[in-house]
């Protein structure tokens, strides 16, 4: 019988890799299908998925060979990012089967996030699953894995207190900005937000909860999303502008948040030349809080006197306390994730019986058809159509009745992990009894619901 393939998770995360390298590997959502297609074009990769967020770039693959699978994924990463493998390797994590599954469940539960318990990662895992529905290479095993991860992520949030307080990268950025203001009061700051998407919405929400009611300069690439965002917060005063006003806005403001999906740096050191200094109320420092990956604010901005840049990695400063407070909830979540991992592994094991079921059916059908042909040849032309039909039905009836027992013993939906081991033993016994070892030649198993 064909050996079970491996689930491999390879990637780099905020815990071990600086944003300067993460941003080079980020794969925008529009490119996930291309990435999946390229990965599954390698000879040992059967299925692939891309999880690319501001905290991580993780590739999940189902590979026919562990070593070759890893080599092929690494080759793809280096080729598509333009970063040499020698530079990438020290940062990469590499997990297999049980550990890869457990990792994705922890990620989905928010346990591996920089801001532990944040909710956006679950939405991102859901998006990977949704986008995968249109990609042939996002196959049955990864579909099952991501479904399980979504269930696990929802359970962690519903059954533990890990996400209480609506934490997010944006809330941490708002907290960091408050911490850096000499008076810790947004009343002294001239705030600008670049981008009007999900992260900017959360930023406004947390800034408002910290008493920042504007006027906030809200800059976006296009008007509709900025207007919709402003409408959601009637208590906050906004000055909505478009990107051509970026430099004028930076010059006028001193507390600038960047949260756009631009692939390009929007503000560099050279742009700040000749700009007026930030006011004394904010310590004379123009601060940029860039939560975009790839970054929107050039690292060189920090070299300009009177300017400071903080990126997603700098949020570590404010999330340490947050992490301690969530440690107990995290321990509770780990137990729950273990349950979900066992359910997934039992389901995956149960898939192994599908080729045996097919092989047994095919073998029985081949024998039945051959014996029927032989019997009909012996009986000659003397039989009526009705009699031929009756003999054929008799042969089918006997085969189906005989197969009923073995087929029932092989059917297992994985819902009961304890029953899976018994089913696999039965499968091996049936393969020996019916000499089904060529079952590997059969077509791929059907896709499960
Ligand atoms: N989602 C998360 O959990 C999360 C967490 C931390 C950090 N981030 C990072 O935060 C950034 C924004 O994420 P998001 O989830 O808020 O994205 P989003 O909801 O898709 O919103 C993207 C925003 O960026 C603008 N934009 C897109 N391309 C642009 C360009 N070339 N130049 C200027 N503006 C452009 C869009 O403008 P239009 O309205 O005109 O389309 C929109 O306002 C990303 O870099 C992301 O990696 C996201």
């Amino acid at each position: 019988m064909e050996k079970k393939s491996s689930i491999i998770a390879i990637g780099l995360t905020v815990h071990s890799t600086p944003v300067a390298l993460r941003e080079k590997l980020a794969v925008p959502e529009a490119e996930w299908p291309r990435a999946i297609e390229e990965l599954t074009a390698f000879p040992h990769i059967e299925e692939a998925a891309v999880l690319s967020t501001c905290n991580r770039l993780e590739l999940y693959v189902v590979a026919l060979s562990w070593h070759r699978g890893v080599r092929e994924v690494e080759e793809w990463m280096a080729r598509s990012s333009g970063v040499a493998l020698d530079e990438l390797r020290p940062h990469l994590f590499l997990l297999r089967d049980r550990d890869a599954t457990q990792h994705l469940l922890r990620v989905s539960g928010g346990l591996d996030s920089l801001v532990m318990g944040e909710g956006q990662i679950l939405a991102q895992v859901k998006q990977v699953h949704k986008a995968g529905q249109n990609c042939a290479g996002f196959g049955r095993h990864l579909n099952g894995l991501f479904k399980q991860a979504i269930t696990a992520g929802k359970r962690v949030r519903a059954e533990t207190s890990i996400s209480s307080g609506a934490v997010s990268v944006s809330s941490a950025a708002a907290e960091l900005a408050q911490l850096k203001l000499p008076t810790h009061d947004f009343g002294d700051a001239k705030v600008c937000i670049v981008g009007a998407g999900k992260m900017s919405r959360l930023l406004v929400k947390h800034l408002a909860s910290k008493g920042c009611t504007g006027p906030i300069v809200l800059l976006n690439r296009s008007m509709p999303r900025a207007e919709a965002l402003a409408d959601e917060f009637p208590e906050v005063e906004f000055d909505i502008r478009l990107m051509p006003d970026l430099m004028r806005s930076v010059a006028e403001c001193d507390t600038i948040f960047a949260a756009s999906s631009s692939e390009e740096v929007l503000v560099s050191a050279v742009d700040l030349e000749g700009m007026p200094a930030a006011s004394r109320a904010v310590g004379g420092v123009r601060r940029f809080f860039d939560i975009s990956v790839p970054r929107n604010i050039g690292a060189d901005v920090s070299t300009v006197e009177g300017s400071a840049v903080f990126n997603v990695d700098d949020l570590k400063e404010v999330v340490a306390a947050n992490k301690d407070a969530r440690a107990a909830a995290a321990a509770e979540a780990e137990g729950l994730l273990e349950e979900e991992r066992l359910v997934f592994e039992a389901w995956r094991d149960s898939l192994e019986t599908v080729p045996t079921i097919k092989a047994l059916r095919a073998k029985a059908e081949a024998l039945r058809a051959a014996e029927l042909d032989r019997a009909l040849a012996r009986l000659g032309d003397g039989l009526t159509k009705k009699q031929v039909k009756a003999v054929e039905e008799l042969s089918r009836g006997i085969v189906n009745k005989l197969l009923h027992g073995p087929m029932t013993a092989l059917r297992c939906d994985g819902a009961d992990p304890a029953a899976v081991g018994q089913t696999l033993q039965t499968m091996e016994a049936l393969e020996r009894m019916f000499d089904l070892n060529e079952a590997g030649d059969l077509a791929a198993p059907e896709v499960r619901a």
Side-chain angles (χ1 to χ4, degrees), residues 54 120 124 196-199 220-222 225 260-261 291 293:
C54 61
Q120 288 69 45
Q124 287 156 339
K198 296 180 282 293
M199 288 294 107
N220 199 37
R221 182 177 57 173
S222 58
R225 213 157 11 165
S260 95
S261 300
I291 57 172
V293 180

Side-chain angles (χ1 to χ4, degrees), residues 168-235:
S168 63
V169 166
S170 294
S171 64
E175 205 173 314
L176 183 64
Q178 189 172 33
L179 196 76
K180 296 292 171 189
L181 283 170
T183 56
H184 308 309
D185 183 353
F186 280 105
D188 293 331
K190 291 184 189 133
V191 176
C192 170
I193 299 177
V194 182
K198 296 180 282 293
M199 288 294 107
S200 299
R201 195 186 145 272
L202 287 170
L203 263 172
V204 173
K205 180 177 157 195
H206 289 284
L207 287 171
S209 76
K210 290 177 181 301
C212 175
T213 51
I216 292 178
V217 173
L218 180 60
L219 250 152
N220 199 37
R221 182 177 57 173
S222 58
M223 203 44 107
R225 213 157 11 165
E227 285 173 342
L229 196 162
D231 286 347
E232 265 191 73
F233 297 92
E235 72 279 21

Side-chain angles (χ1 to χ4, degrees), residues 12 21 25 77-78 81 83-92:
L12 27 82
L21 184 57
L25 281 112
M77 279 178 130
S81 66
V83 180
L85 203 48
D86 286 349
E87 196 188 327
L88 272 180
R89 266 217 189 95
H91 300 279
L92 289 182

